[in-house]
Amino acid sequence: MNNCAFQRFSKEMDMILQSANEELSVSIRKCSCILRLYSWLIDAYILDFFVEDLWKKLPRSWRETMAGADFSEVGMWLSLSQAPRYRSPWPLSLQALRVAVQSACLPRSSGGPAHPLLATHPTPATATPTAQVPPSDGSHECHTTAEVTLRCTHADALREGSGAKGLRRPFLKHVSPKKIHEIFKMADVVCQIAEETGVTCVVDVGSGIGHLARLLSFGHGLSVCCIEAQETLSCRARELDGEIKKFLSKIIPEERLKALPRPSHVTARVGPELEESDFIQMVSQSFQGSFHLAFGIVGLHPCGDLAPYLMQLFVSCSEARFLCIAGCCYMKLTPGIGFPLSSSGNDRDEVMQLSYEAREMACHAIEAYSRNLLHGNAASLKIHCYRATLESIILKNWPMFRRRGLKSIKYDENLQFPDYARKVLSAANLIPPEEDILSEETNECLRCWKQVVCFYSLRLMFAPLVETLILLDRCLFLSLKGVRCKVSPEFDPELSPRSHLLIASKNAEVV
């Protein structure tokens, strides 16, 4: 690219980024405005339902409507993917709330309505593939992306029907249905970005026992460096690598299997305490010291502050060409460090703030909850009422244990409250007073279980909005650093509630 062409390109990119930044800022302000307006509801603890008489804090019209509605109506109202139908008119305030939240939220599934921001804030056009990586046999000869693709053509069979059964099987072993869905979806996205950016090396941070890494390496022919903080998980990952290579040796030609790189596993903790130079050295050694080191950073549900740190690492490392992460555990974000990231959040008079309750709620499965309401399984949601009723007993007898994390008990139709209370309290070495467990006051609380479910549903409506705010803040952070990115709903939220992937890439000619 000559100097004049480069200047024109830079000017066009600056204009596009400025426009995108403005749109992101507007969307962020919209989310923040709604969340601030209803913070009294979002920040409420459901276990304080009876302790603080939360039902009476709702507007009277909301209480009357919820009390008269059946659970299927509440489920339809809660679901953002379908138009609700009401037996009788609902208050305009409730209907307007739903519309406001729906319009501000990012889509939660690929088949849902498109968010205007996603259409105007695409990833950049990719450069000609130039990155190279040393082969897995340790020699210094490098292979281009095209050559790597040719030696692992069986990867296409992983996405096919009947031909995929033999090749898919080893990748499914020891993997839950949820994880299977996630790793296959994410692997497809990662491989597409790798091809577009000319990268054949991937750094999988927080790799666990390596399910995604094995699919990327043995399934798609990418060189993968796995970085995991726990040595026991890294050891298990190496064992599973050996198992899958042994299995694949029976179904694909030996020369093709030899061409596939095997994941390398490094035990290290990635965070602010890890210097960037040490990170690059660790990755370079893993990829056998390539002189043309270029890689993508991936993370399947990195916890808490790890996701923001990976974003910062991506921005600062010229060797990092793309980023693909799925968020998780927002309640573990450190205020001011993990959120907000964008300067707009820090510079505005009204700083973006999200309470722990809001961030924790953003991790809940709204689709599963709505489905239970729609399909007549609301009785299974009585567990919220049980916990709120138990909190009243705890506050009366052991006030120092208020809002204490207690053992989770799964509800079933045979589980009665006295049995629930005894199990939960005994796990905390507390002896429940029988007179409180069986009192009329307790029974009166238990009869209000529908109110608890409705209140919980009202709070849960805001969960996708909280997640949207966090994701848009991350997009704006990257955009302000000159990196174009997008948030894409790649996972089925019914299986994986954290369904979005944050995808960013750099133009190789600009880096």
Side-chain angles (χ1 to χ4, degrees):
M1 181 181 289
N2 60 42
N3 188 49
C4 291
F6 179 77
Q7 289 180 351
R8 286 197 303 271
F9 173 81
S10 298
K11 185 176 181 180
E12 290 173 0
M13 284 294 293
D14 288 342
M15 293 176 63
I16 293 173
L17 287 172
Q18 182 178 357
S19 175
N21 293 345
E22 292 174 355
E23 292 178 29
L24 280 167
S25 297
V26 169
S27 295
I28 286 173
R29 285 196 294 271
K30 183 176 181 180
C31 293
S32 299
C33 180
I34 298 173
L35 292 172
R36 283 197 303 271
L37 186 62
Y38 291 95
S39 61
W40 59 272
L41 176 58
I42 296 169
D43 295 344
Y45 280 94
I46 195 66
L47 54 81
D48 286 337
F49 186 84
F50 299 113
V51 171
E52 297 186 358
D53 202 3
L54 295 179
W55 185 248
K56 289 188 177 179
K57 293 186 178 182
L58 297 177
R60 176 179 292 182
S61 62
W62 292 19
R63 282 181 276 146
E64 293 175 350
T65 298
M66 290 291 185
D70 58 35
F71 284 124
S72 63
E73 287 183 276
V74 178
M76 282 188 289
W77 181 85
L78 182 60
S79 172
L80 297 179
S81 61
Q82 58 181 294
R85 297 187 303 272
Y86 308 115
R87 292 184 303 170
S88 58
W90 279 36
L92 288 178
S93 56
L94 272 176
Q95 296 188 51
L97 170 60
R98 184 182 186 277
V99 171
V101 171
Q102 188 177 36
S103 65
C105 283
L106 292 168
R108 292 185 53 79
S109 62
S110 56
H115 190 282
L117 189 62
L118 299 186
T120 56
H121 200 251
T123 49
T126 53
T128 303
T130 56
Q132 296 178 318
V133 60
S136 57
D137 59 9
S139 68
H140 291 289
E141 179 186 359
C142 289
H143 295 273
T144 64
T145 304
E147 290 169 336
V148 173
T149 303
L150 286 174
R151 73 187 188 189
C152 61
T153 54
H154 71 279
D156 291 335
L158 293 170
R159 296 185 291 273
E160 300 297 332
S162 58
K165 291 181 180 178
L167 290 173
R168 286 173 64 100
R169 200 166 80 185
F171 298 105
L172 309 184
K173 192 175 181 181
H174 311 293
V175 191
S176 68
K178 173 179 179 290
K179 185 69 72 175
I180 290 171
H181 172 72
E182 292 170 348
I183 63 174
F184 274 88
K185 282 285 188 178
M186 189 163 184
D188 282 346
V189 173
V190 169
C191 288
Q192 180 182 351
I193 307 170
E195 182 178 356
E196 291 173 351
T197 55
V199 170
T200 56
C201 298
V202 173
V203 181
D204 183 3
V205 183
S207 55
I209 59 177
H211 294 312
L212 175 62
R214 275 185 293 280
L215 185 56
L216 290 173
S217 57
F218 292 118
H220 294 273
L222 294 173
S223 295
V224 185
C225 169
C226 301
I227 302 180
E228 170 55 49
Q230 300 183 47
E231 175 63 24
T232 54
L233 298 182
S234 296
C235 289
R236 179 56 177 156
R238 295 186 188 98
E239 293 175 2
L240 295 176
D241 291 349
E243 288 184 17
I244 201 169
K245 192 162 188 177
K246 182 178 179 180
F247 188 97
L248 289 174
S249 67
K250 302 175 183 178
I251 59 176
I252 63 175
E254 182 179 356
E255 63 275 10
R256 188 175 294 174
L257 181 61
K258 287 182 179 180
L260 294 176
R262 184 168 179 165
S264 63
H265 297 275
V266 179
T267 302
R269 185 173 295 278
V270 175
E273 67 280 359
L274 179 67
E275 295 290 338
E276 181 185 327
S277 57
D278 294 334
F279 175 78
I280 294 297
Q281 182 180 7
M282 180 181 7
V283 172
S284 179
Q285 290 175 349
S286 177
F287 293 135
Q288 302 170 2
S290 170
F291 293 105
H292 303 280
L293 181 63
F295 56 84
I297 298 175
V298 304
L300 180 52
H301 295 145
C303 185
D305 290 335
L306 179 56
Y309 182 72
L310 293 182
M311 295 168 57
Q312 294 166 351
L313 202 59
F314 167 71
V315 169
S316 61
C317 291
S318 60
E319 298 87 349
R321 297 295 171 82
F322 74 81
L323 175 74
C324 182
I325 57 175
C328 184
C329 301
Y330 301 130
M331 64 282 200
K332 295 183 181 180
L333 290 170
T334 303
I337 297 177
F339 178 86
L341 292 174
S342 62
S343 60
S344 71
N346 294 318
D347 294 343
R348 289 202 312 268
D349 292 336
E350 295 181 351
V351 178
M352 282 190 295
Q353 293 181 347
L354 288 175
S355 65
Y356 174 88
E357 295 80 23
R359 288 181 280 116
E360 191 272 338
M361 181 182 62
C363 294
H364 289 196
I366 186 172
E367 284 79 13
Y369 204 88
S370 175
R371 184 178 65 248
N372 282 330
L373 293 171
L374 283 168
H375 295 170
N377 299 324
S380 63
L381 308 178
K382 281 185 178 180
I383 200 72
H384 298 304
C385 183
Y386 280 12
R387 181 61 183 90
T389 302
L390 184 61
E391 187 71 6
S392 300
I393 297 174
I394 290 173
L395 184 61
K396 176 182 177 181
N397 294 279
W398 309 281
M400 73 290 297
F401 282 93
R402 186 181 182 187
R403 294 179 178 172
R404 183 70 60 91
L406 300 174
K407 180 180 179 180
S408 295
I409 303 292
K410 188 174 182 179
Y411 179 85
D412 65 65
E413 58 184 10
N414 297 318
L415 180 65
Q416 300 299 313
F417 176 76
D419 296 329
Y420 166 85
R422 295 184 189 105
K423 288 180 180 179
V424 172
L425 293 178
S426 62
N429 297 318
L430 301 175
I431 301 175
E434 291 296 315
E435 62 273 16
D436 289 335
I437 290 178
L438 303 173
S439 70
E440 178 56 31
E441 182 180 358
T442 294
N443 289 329
E444 180 61 28
C445 290
L446 296 173
R447 284 191 285 268
C448 295
W449 72 273
K450 182 180 178 180
Q451 294 179 0
V452 180
V453 170
C454 290
F455 189 90
Y456 188 91
S457 299
L458 286 169
R459 288 189 68 243
L460 195 56
M461 166 63 71
F462 297 94
L465 189 62
V466 176
E467 183 173 31
T468 292
L469 178 58
I470 293 172
L471 295 175
L472 293 183
D473 171 63
R474 292 177 177 182
C475 278
L476 184 56
F477 166 79
L478 291 172
S479 188
L480 290 170
K481 298 293 184 180
V483 177
R484 300 183 69 193
C485 65
K486 70 175 181 179
V487 174
S488 179
E490 296 293 337
F491 303 153
D492 182 351
E494 291 276 354
L495 288 174
S496 180
R498 308 282 65 74
S499 61
H500 296 90
L501 291 182
L502 176 64
I503 304 167
S505 61
K506 301 173 184 173
N507 190 307
E509 294 186 61
V510 179
V511 173

